[in-house]
Amino acid sequence: MSDPYRQLFRGSSAAETEDFIQAVRSGAWSEQKQFDDRWMAAYAAAQMSGPALRWHMSLPRDVQTEWSKLESALLDRFAPNPPAAAAEYKSVLTLGVTKMIVCLSPYL
């Protein structure tokens, strides 16, 4: 049976990286393995090729075999900058906290 979530990953862009992470998560859900860090890491590794495969092979063993660490490493290496929407949300959140502090202060 073919795996609809299988996606060859080369590490060519931030968008490809985010799509790959989502594909790994979806594949794990479909197999009821979403809480199995080692299974997810092995599933991801089996889909890497080219520069991503060589990068993966250079990682420490614990990063290679634990999805939570591998997922962070993937984002750090292949998608280091957060999307603009995330940056905007963070600044709106910060602005909201600042406004709340100002509103709560009886001296301002």
Side-chain angles (χ1 to χ4, degrees):
M1 175 159 67
S2 70
D3 181 352
Y5 302 104
R6 191 161 181 81
Q7 176 178 332
L8 202 57
F9 177 67
R10 296 186 53 80
S12 62
S13 70
E16 182 200 14
T17 303
E18 292 167 1
D19 290 346
F20 176 68
I21 288 171
Q22 281 304 116
V24 170
R25 289 177 178 177
S26 295
W29 272 95
S30 74
E31 297 294 322
Q32 297 181 341
K33 297 286 190 177
Q34 67 271 23
F35 301 112
D36 188 339
D37 237 22
R38 293 178 68 79
W39 186 93
M40 291 177 74
Y43 182 71
Q47 299 174 68
M48 292 186 189
S49 69
L53 176 63
R54 288 188 298 279
W55 167 81
H56 181 266
M57 295 303 296
S58 73
L59 294 171
R61 186 78 171 148
D62 64 315
V63 177
Q64 288 181 11
T65 60
E66 294 179 44
W67 173 245
S68 58
K69 291 180 181 180
L70 180 56
E71 183 178 36
S72 292
L74 282 162
L75 289 171
D76 288 345
R77 172 65 174 91
F78 298 106
N81 299 319
E88 288 175 23
Y89 176 75
K90 183 178 179 183
S91 72
V92 167
L93 199 57
T94 304
L95 180 61
V97 170
T98 304
K99 282 184 177 179
M100 184 173 68
I101 292 169
V102 170
C103 293
L104 292 176
S105 174
Y107 302 105
L108 295 177

